[in-house]
Every structure is written in C-alpha cells, then in structure tokens.
Amino acid sequence: MANDVELPVRLHDLLLALAGRVDDDALSQARELLAVAEPDRAVELVVGCLLAGRIPVTDPERGQITDLLAELNSTRSLADLLNAVDTLPVPRHRFSAESDPADGIGEALAKVVTSLPDIRSVMCVWRSTPAGASPGPLPQRLVLVDIGPQGYAPATAYRIDRALRRAGLSAAVEVLRPATQLSDYHAAAVTTAREVKFSSSSSGGGHRDESGAWFDGPEDVRDQAPVVEPTPVPEIPETGSETPSPRRNRAESYEGAQPFPPKPVKRVVREAVDLVEEPPLPPALSPPTPPAVFNNAEVTMELGPDDLAALQAALADPNGLPPGAAVSVEATPAADAKLSDRERALLQQLHEELAQREDPPAQGDESGQWQIDRSGTQGSFQPPAWMGAQTNGDLVNGTQQNNGHPPYQS
Amino acid sequence: MSDTEWACHELLLRLAGRLPDDILWRFRDWAATDAVVVLARALPRALLHDRIGLTDLEMNLLADAVLSNGADRAMLSSVEGVDELSESGYTFTAESPDRVSMGDSATAVLGATLRGRQGVGEVRSTWRQGGADQVTRRIVLIAATTGHARLTGEVQRVLRALGEHDPCVEVVPLGMELPPYHQAALAASEPICTGAEVDGHLVPV
C-alpha cells in the first residue's frame, strides 16, 4: 500500500536500513538503478540479495518490500520468500577513523558537492567488518553524506558514488536524509567518522550548518548510541566575511530537529580553521579539547575587540599591561576595575598557555583567538574520563578495535 | 543438478563477456540459491535492457531456466534472436598486464582451496582486457563434474573477499563444447592447480 512518501524516497530509506546487512556493492547498484529511474530492477536486486544470502528482515521491512513490488508491477509474492524475524541479529560492525578515511575524498567530491542541492556535510569512516553474504574487501570506507530537506537522496548517493569511482576510490556511500531515524549501524559510523573538509571554493559539503543537525533522530536514539563529543569551541562573533547562503536560510526552518552526536559545531569556527589551513591533527590528538582549555576560551570570548587588543598588547609586554590599556582604563573608571580583574586572570592563564606552546602564535589577527584553543589540543592534552570508552573501545559491541588496517585502495 | 539448474548455469556461462560483469556474477551467485525465482525475472529484464541477443540454443536454455520459476513469457518473447555471436572484443593474456594488486593472493588462495577437491578438475587463470569498461580482469577457468553453480558462487565469494568486486569465474562442465569466449580465454591461460578429478582437463589431451 502506497503512502505519502514518494516511492524513490521509501526505497532509498529501505536501502539505508539494509546497510551493513546487504553487501555494499549490491546497495550501490540498487541506488544507481533507483537514481536512473529503474526502481523495479532496484527492488528485485535487493530481494535477490536478501534471498541469496538468507538475510533476515523485520516484518515491517518485508511489508515495505511487498508494497514496493506491488507498486512497481513486480511479483509481490517474492517478498513472502524472505526470512522475516521479530528481532534482527545484533550488528557487529566496527568503525575506525584512523588511517584518515577522508584522504582524497575532498578532492574527488569537490565538484559534485557544489552541483548537488542541500548537502550539509560529508564524513568518512573505515568499516573493518564484512557486510552481506558476498562481502567485498576490507576495510571498507564509508562516506556518509548529510543532506537537508532540499536534497535528493537517491541522486546524491548515485552521483557521489560515481565521482568516487571515477577518482579510483572504493567506498560505500550512505546518504542520510533529515527527519529519518538512524540505525545503530549509521549511528556508530557517524560517531566515529571524520568530516571531509572542502576548499573554500566548494560551498557544498564540508561546512556544517549552524542550525542544521547532522543527525535528526529522536532523543531516545541519541541516548542509546555511543557519543563522542566534538572539540568544544568558543563562540566567535560572526564576521562580515561570512554571508548567509540560501542553504542556510532553508536549514533554519529545520531547527526543531534534534541534533545528535557529534553535536553541531559553530560553522564560523570551522571556517576559521579552514582559513588558517590547519594541518589535520593526528588521531590521538583529534579528540575533544580538555575542559580547562575550553573554560579559558569561554572567558576570552567575553572580551570585546578593544579588550582583546589590550590583552594581546599585554601578552607582548612581559610586564603585563600595555601603555594603551592605561589610557583606556582612565577614560572609563567603572570598566577599569572590571577589565583589570579580567586581565589579571587572563594574563595568568595565557602565560600558562604560552609556556606550553612550541611556536608563538601570530598576534593581532583573528587566528590568534582561535589558537588559544588549539594550543590546548597539543602537547599537554589529557583526555577526560568520558573519552575512555570512545578511544579504547568498539562502538558497537564494546570490544577493542584493531585500527591497524591499511586504507583500502581499489 | 536439475534440468533447470543446468540450463541456468550453462546460459550464464555462455553470457560471459556479454552481460556486464557486475550483473553476471550476481546472477551466478543467485543461481544456486533461493534467489533463482528472482533471477527468473531479473535475467530477461537485463537481457532486454542491454539489448543482448541470444542464439537458438541460448534461447532454449533461457526458457528452460526461467519459465518454471515464474518468468514473464511476453518478456522472453522480446529477447532478440541472433544467428551467431559477434566478436567479443576482448583479448586474453596469461599474465596481468598491469599487475592487479591482489593477483598473487588470489592465486594462492584458489590453489589452497581447490587443490585435490572432489568434483574439480583443472583450474586455470587468465587476464582479460578490452570490453566496454576497459578494465583488466582475472578470469578463472575451472573444469568440474558436479555442483557447478554452487562452486561458482563459492569461488566468486572468495575472490570478492580478496578484493575483486566483479569476479569472473567460469566453471565449465567437462565435455562441454566451449563458446568462443572461453576458447580464447583458455588459449591464453596458465594452470593454478588440479582438483581430485585428475583427468578433468580444460585443455584436451
């Protein structure tokens, strides 16, 4: 029985639900058939793979397949042959972001992400476990694409898959639509995945929308899935260099969606990182910033531009206050006491920061603001207790990951 | 093996180099499983989609393979007949022209898996170039006396796990007159191992 959702979208969601159970090549082929307007062949391919591999499906999934077969004038009785179960076997997939799964992806997708509508972000992760009865080589790279309500999931999956193949990159592409609940498989993959950074000329993916949620699942799923906190970042006032895009305006209507880990990060901060061409951190240093540094950054961001200039001058002056600061203080006695307190606290903290730095940051520009936070991720990083589960364990079944797999090259 | 299974396997064998590799290996994977009922619908559709014509012998094999599993007769009637097969456009070489990364591993694993195995005769491999995608592919030729479809599926899965996304495994019944595609492949092949059927040669002796 048909419902309000269009058939290609329903079929896309079915393929998404089967990820990790059916082999990746079959899903890729089915998505291609769907994208080129051959959904009947796509459904039959899926049914054939499920039967050949005796892959179990739930009763609702079988019902969906029955409906799709009927709508596509195929033989709906094929669905009766499927192995329907009450509870699916627990997935045992392992994901890893080591060996940089995003290597080369940005270049391969730079063009296509600009031509496809409403791509919010692209993430990559390695999966070191087989999928389906006829699995391909391991590890398998997953490319997770988050689209907004204006995006076309089947077309996005197909074209990104094609772009990767043309670039000689083997990957399984999963396009996540808004307002759909992620499976455990995708939740685990997203939590471990590394975001692909695109150059500033490619405005499509790579930049996460401030209001757009990577994961739009309900609250209960978020509570169940493993959580990795992203690097906490200070809120930096938006500068004039950033112009709101139509995509952003569209995404703002989506604010009601519940964000899911990793929590949305302020886009302005990510762009600032891109602007300074920060080299990718080693995996061991990429986890979140220690809370102490985060507090420093929060205090720093309370300062206005004048305060910051005074503070930077103070940093340059080993005796503390710059000459200009005194003039400013005399002009506003009420602010004098307040700024002095801040400066004293900040000077103490920032001198500690400077002592930890190997290379002093450039002063007097905005990148200096950000480097206060960056310095905390290097050298003296002490992972907080909550990171233990993520850095040491398998996100799905709690066993140790073996991350020594080399990246697969087709 | 029933007549239906036999017809299905022989037809899929004869479609080597004509159906796209990514579809053909999948159909062969289905042929020995419960998915044969889906194959009965998908195979005629694939032939029509790619405008692949069949000889009279192949047309009979198609009817035997799929009609009993629910194929649409009208769809079968649309499959074009051909008097003889055109040149495949492939060339075969005994050694990989560009050394596929998993080549040596695949040979070693196949040798370890199939050496001395019951129902298996000679196992050889060759490399195919040309075709629409211009991709160099390993072609595995296996002479077998029984369980052809099942053996095909098994070896395909082994090769996929070793890195070949679209494995080309040709399990040839002993005594079968080889199609031109397989004759050309055999002529440029080299041995991997021999199963328990020591007289099961692909090359007539």
Side-chain angles (χ1 to χ4, degrees):
Chain A
M1 179 183 296
N3 57 31
D4 293 336
V5 182
E6 293 181 350
L7 186 146
V9 176
R10 279 183 281 138
L11 182 48
H12 174 86
D13 289 347
L14 174 65
L15 298 175
L16 209 59
L18 294 174
R21 289 187 274 161
V22 174
D23 68 84
D24 304 296
D25 288 335
L27 294 176
S28 173
Q29 283 180 294
R31 286 170 177 141
E32 176 175 351
L33 291 170
L34 178 58
V36 300
E38 297 185 68
D40 46 354
R41 294 182 72 193
V43 174
E44 289 181 354
L45 173 63
V46 170
V47 174
C49 291
L50 292 172
L51 287 174
R54 298 182 180 177
I55 298 168
V57 296
T58 62
D59 274 329
E61 288 172 342
R62 183 165 66 176
Q64 293 171 28
I65 293 172
T66 302
D67 293 343
L68 289 169
L69 288 169
E71 291 176 58
L72 294 167
N73 298 319
S74 186
T75 308
R76 61 182 299 165
S77 61
L78 291 176
D80 298 336
L81 303 174
L82 295 172
N83 176 24
V85 296
D86 293 332
T87 305
L88 293 174
V90 177
R92 298 187 57 82
H93 289 293
R94 296 180 175 86
F95 298 94
S96 167
E98 293 191 10
S99 300
D100 196 5
D103 184 29
I105 299 295
E107 293 79 4
L109 299 183
K111 185 176 180 182
V112 71
V113 296
T114 60
S115 62
L116 288 168
D118 213 356
I119 291 183
R120 293 186 177 179
S121 66
V122 180
M123 302 184 81
C124 293
V125 67
W126 294 111
R127 191 193 69 218
S128 58
T129 45
S134 302
L138 300 175
Q140 170 70 296
R141 176 171 18 214
L142 301 191
V143 174
L144 303 152
V145 183
D146 182 32
I147 64 171
Q150 304 301 320
Y152 300 105
T156 302
Y158 167 60
R159 293 195 57 193
I160 286 185
D161 186 73
R162 292 265 296 177
L164 292 172
R165 288 176 188 272
R166 276 196 296 270
L169 298 171
S170 176
V173 179
E174 305 284 342
V175 176
L176 308 175
R177 294 196 308 114
T180 55
Q181 179 173 334
L182 285 194
S183 64
D184 290 344
Y185 173 84
H186 289 106
V190 165
T191 307
T192 314
R194 182 174 298 181
E195 184 164 2
V196 177
K197 294 182 179 178
F198 295 92
S199 62
S200 57
S201 59
S202 57
S203 59
H207 299 292
R208 183 171 298 168
D209 201 309
E210 181 176 347
S211 60
W214 161 258
F215 178 84
D216 298 305
E219 187 74 29
D220 56 342
V221 176
R222 182 179 65 174
D223 294 338
Q224 295 167 7
V227 176
V228 173
E229 295 284 347
T231 303
V233 291
E235 289 190 24
I236 298 176
E238 299 213 9
T239 62
S241 61
E242 179 176 352
T243 56
S245 65
R247 172 177 305 158
R248 178 173 179 146
N249 293 335
R250 286 195 298 268
E252 286 173 355
S253 64
Y254 224 67
E255 284 184 338
Q258 181 65 44
F260 188 75
K263 294 177 180 176
V265 179
K266 296 294 184 185
R267 180 167 62 176
V268 63
V269 175
R270 289 191 173 271
E271 289 178 346
V273 175
D274 290 344
L275 286 174
V276 298
E277 294 295 323
E278 181 185 26
L281 292 174
L285 294 179
S286 57
T289 308
V293 177
F294 182 43
N295 294 338
N296 288 352
E298 281 183 328
V299 174
T300 301
M301 297 321 300
E302 293 175 359
L303 296 176
D306 294 337
D307 300 338
L308 188 63
L311 176 62
Q312 289 168 340
L315 285 173
D317 184 358
N319 295 323
L321 296 176
V327 175
S328 174
V329 168
E330 290 173 0
T332 55
D336 176 18
K338 188 176 181 181
L339 280 178
S340 297
D341 291 339
R342 285 182 175 177
E343 286 173 352
R344 278 194 293 272
L346 285 169
L347 281 173
Q348 180 179 358
Q349 294 166 353
L350 289 172
H351 278 302
E352 293 173 1
E353 294 285 343
L354 287 171
Q356 297 174 0
R357 296 183 193 178
E358 293 181 2
D359 299 319
Q363 297 184 1
D365 57 12
E366 290 187 357
S367 63
Q369 301 175 27
W370 172 242
Q371 286 173 352
I372 291 172
D373 193 25
R374 273 183 57 197
S375 64
T377 65
Q378 298 173 349
S380 62
F381 174 73
Q382 295 296 327
W386 57 264
M387 279 182 53
Q390 192 273 331
T391 55
N392 296 328
D394 174 22
L395 295 172
V396 175
N397 56 16
T399 59
Q400 178 72 33
Q401 288 189 40
N402 179 6
N403 294 322
H405 301 285
Y408 170 69
Q409 301 293 336
S410 63
Chain B
M1 181 181 283
S2 68
D3 291 344
T4 299
E5 292 172 335
W6 181 269
C8 188
H9 177 76
E10 182 173 345
L11 177 60
L12 293 176
L13 189 68
R14 292 179 180 276
L15 288 173
R18 293 154 68 191
L19 267 180
D21 293 323
D22 58 343
I23 293 177
L24 185 59
W25 88 260
R26 184 78 66 180
F27 285 174
R28 289 172 172 175
D29 188 55
W30 293 358
T33 69
D34 295 339
V36 69
V37 292
V38 183
L39 177 62
R41 292 156 177 79
L43 176 56
R45 196 193 299 268
L47 293 172
L48 294 176
H49 180 272
D50 290 355
R51 308 294 193 272
I52 296 174
L54 300 181
T55 64
D56 289 343
L57 170 62
E58 293 167 342
M59 201 72 84
N60 290 332
L61 290 172
L62 176 64
D64 292 344
V66 300
L67 280 178
S68 62
N69 284 310
D72 183 356
R73 288 182 179 273
M75 195 174 288
L76 262 62
S77 299
S78 298
V79 177
E80 188 180 6
V82 295
D83 292 331
E84 59 182 13
L85 299 177
S86 57
E87 290 291 327
S88 66
Y90 296 112
T91 58
F92 297 90
T93 57
E95 294 187 355
S96 169
D98 51 10
R99 183 46 62 188
V100 173
S101 59
M102 299 302 293
D104 293 335
S105 298
T107 302
V109 171
L110 288 179
T113 304
L114 300 176
R115 183 173 289 108
R117 181 160 171 166
Q118 292 293 328
V120 175
E122 191 175 18
V123 182
R124 304 177 71 90
S125 84
T126 184
W127 296 89
R128 190 192 74 192
Q129 286 183 290
D133 55 4
Q134 295 293 320
V135 175
T136 301
R137 295 194 189 280
R138 176 200 302 277
I139 311 294
V140 178
L141 300 163
I142 304 173
T145 59
T146 183
H148 305 87
R150 191 177 302 275
L151 179 62
T152 303
E154 178 184 341
V155 176
Q156 283 185 157
R157 286 190 285 275
V158 169
L159 290 176
R160 275 182 55 81
L162 290 172
E164 297 190 15
H165 284 271
D166 305 318
C168 300
V169 180
E170 312 297 325
V171 177
V172 181
L174 285 177
M176 175 184 172
E177 182 180 352
L178 293 179
Y181 175 90
H182 297 87
Q183 290 181 20
L186 184 60
S189 66
E190 60 182 13
I192 295 177
C193 68
T194 302
E197 311 297 328
V198 292
D199 294 330
H201 295 288
L202 284 161
V203 182
V205 292

